[in-house]
Amino acid sequence: MNPDALRGHMDALLLSVLEGEPLHGYAIIEALQERSGGALSVPTGTVYPALRRLERVGYLSSEWATVGGRKRRTYRLTASGRSQLAGERSAWREFASVIGNVLRAEVSATS
């Protein structure tokens, strides 16, 4: 998948992956790959800065946890993050509908 296609959608993707349970960074990357059927391969250099930014604005909280015997930072969706995710989903549905309408539209010839 073209990495430019993800531009502007990374926040929604990350918030969505964290909706069900807290995860550490690598598990978030794996969840994105799994949910996308392998189409999304997001580099750590994209994910970790986005997670830190989402935490700074209050959509995520994090804490250190031991996962598989290793100490990892685990991210959790906050109430504010849930609200933001709902807004992101609504905006996505509207965007997808508009683009879908344009792509489906048939041009009729007028004389």
Side-chain angles (χ1 to χ4, degrees):
M1 175 169 279
N2 181 347
D4 287 336
L6 294 179
R7 190 157 299 160
H9 303 290
M10 185 56 62
D11 290 1
L13 294 171
L14 294 172
L15 294 174
S16 180
V17 165
L18 289 165
E19 183 178 30
E21 63 181 323
L23 296 169
H24 60 82
Y26 186 71
I28 292 168
I29 292 168
E30 287 180 326
L32 287 170
Q33 286 179 318
E34 182 180 316
R35 286 189 184 191
S36 69
L40 294 179
S41 181
V42 185
T44 58
T46 299
V47 171
Y48 286 105
L51 290 170
R52 286 191 294 273
R53 184 176 41 74
L54 290 170
E55 187 174 18
R56 274 194 310 272
V57 297
Y59 298 155
L60 300 178
S61 63
S62 70
E63 59 188 18
W64 287 101
T66 302
V67 180
R70 295 180 64 186
K71 196 168 185 177
R72 299 179 184 259
R73 183 169 290 282
T74 302
Y75 296 89
R76 174 185 311 274
L77 200 59
T78 64
S80 179
R82 288 184 192 286
S83 177
Q84 178 65 20
L85 177 57
E88 294 276 357
R89 284 184 169 141
S90 177
W92 173 255
R93 283 191 293 273
E94 183 179 340
F95 175 79
S97 175
V98 168
I99 298 302
N101 288 338
V102 171
L103 293 177
R104 280 190 298 273
E106 294 182 23
V107 178
S108 60
T110 58
S111 356

